[in-house]
Amino acid sequence: MAHPLHHALSSARRFGGEAADYQAVHDWFDASKEHMAYFTHRALRHHTQGIFEAERIFGRSLTNSAGRVIPVRWIGEQHVKEDCRGKVPSLYDWLGRIQQESWMANGHIDDDLTHTGSDPLADWMQAVSSQQTILGFEEWLEKARMERLVAATV
């Protein structure tokens, strides 16, 4: 299946009613295509947790235009199975296959406490009185910000 409309048409054939009855659910499952129009977008919602999340968003069931009450879980399972060759994977099935990159595992706590909790105006006044700067306050703030950015990239 390539488009949420095709999933919605499939739902209408399977559960009755019109494709429009199911369109919002199928649009939600494929919304991650906005960020990555490649099959890996499915890792965001095409799994068991995604199906249960769809229930939280759309409710446990919907009533189609034929008056039939259809569990949202059935609609989600149908969508995922159609895109995943009949399988409903778990979230772990997707995330367990991510190839590790160094940036993923090495967190960084910014331990530069020089500006945390300090008063920039008082710091500037101290810098002026100790002849560390002749800049005005706004320029001094911008220079300090740029220095922090440069230091962070080194």
Side-chain angles (χ1 to χ4, degrees), residues 1-8 10-11 14-15 22-33 41-42 45-47 51 54 72-89:
M1 294 278 169
H3 195 280
L5 175 61
H6 299 126
H7 289 290
S10 178
S11 291
R14 180 174 298 203
F15 306 121
Y22 309 98
Q23 192 66 56
V25 176
H26 294 298
D27 286 344
W28 179 83
F29 271 98
D30 282 344
S32 53
K33 284 182 184 177
H41 85 90
R42 294 178 181 142
R45 296 180 175 164
H46 287 60
H47 43 68
I51 293 168
V72 168
R73 190 178 306 172
W74 291 2
I75 301 163
E77 288 172 354
Q78 170 225 326
H79 185 111
V80 172
K81 285 179 180 179
E82 288 174 347
D83 279 351
C84 297
R85 295 189 178 187
K87 178 180 175 70
V88 177

Side-chain angles (χ1 to χ4, degrees), residues 51-153:
I51 293 168
F52 280 82
E53 186 65 23
E55 273 189 328
R56 285 188 280 280
I57 291 170
F58 297 99
R60 293 190 185 273
S61 64
L62 59 81
T63 304
N64 67 21
S65 57
R68 187 171 175 207
V69 177
I70 308 298
V72 168
R73 190 178 306 172
W74 291 2
I75 301 163
E77 288 172 354
Q78 170 225 326
H79 185 111
V80 172
K81 285 179 180 179
E82 288 174 347
D83 279 351
C84 297
R85 295 189 178 187
K87 178 180 175 70
V88 177
S90 70
L91 179 58
Y92 178 79
D93 290 330
W94 285 103
L95 298 182
R97 287 167 172 76
I98 291 176
Q99 298 298 311
Q100 183 177 346
E101 298 285 337
S102 62
W103 60 266
M104 296 174 177
N106 295 324
H108 171 73
I109 304 297
D110 185 4
D111 59 359
D112 177 14
L113 302 177
T114 58
H115 292 90
T116 303
S118 65
D119 176 5
L121 184 58
D123 292 344
W124 171 73
M125 290 171 60
Q126 174 63 32
V128 170
S129 67
S130 63
Q131 298 180 0
Q132 293 174 338
T133 187
I134 58 170
L135 295 174
F137 180 62
E138 294 296 324
E139 294 83 6
W140 180 81
L141 280 177
E142 180 61 20
K143 180 178 181 251
R145 186 183 73 78
M146 293 303 292
E147 288 171 354
R148 284 193 304 277
L149 286 175
V150 168
T153 59

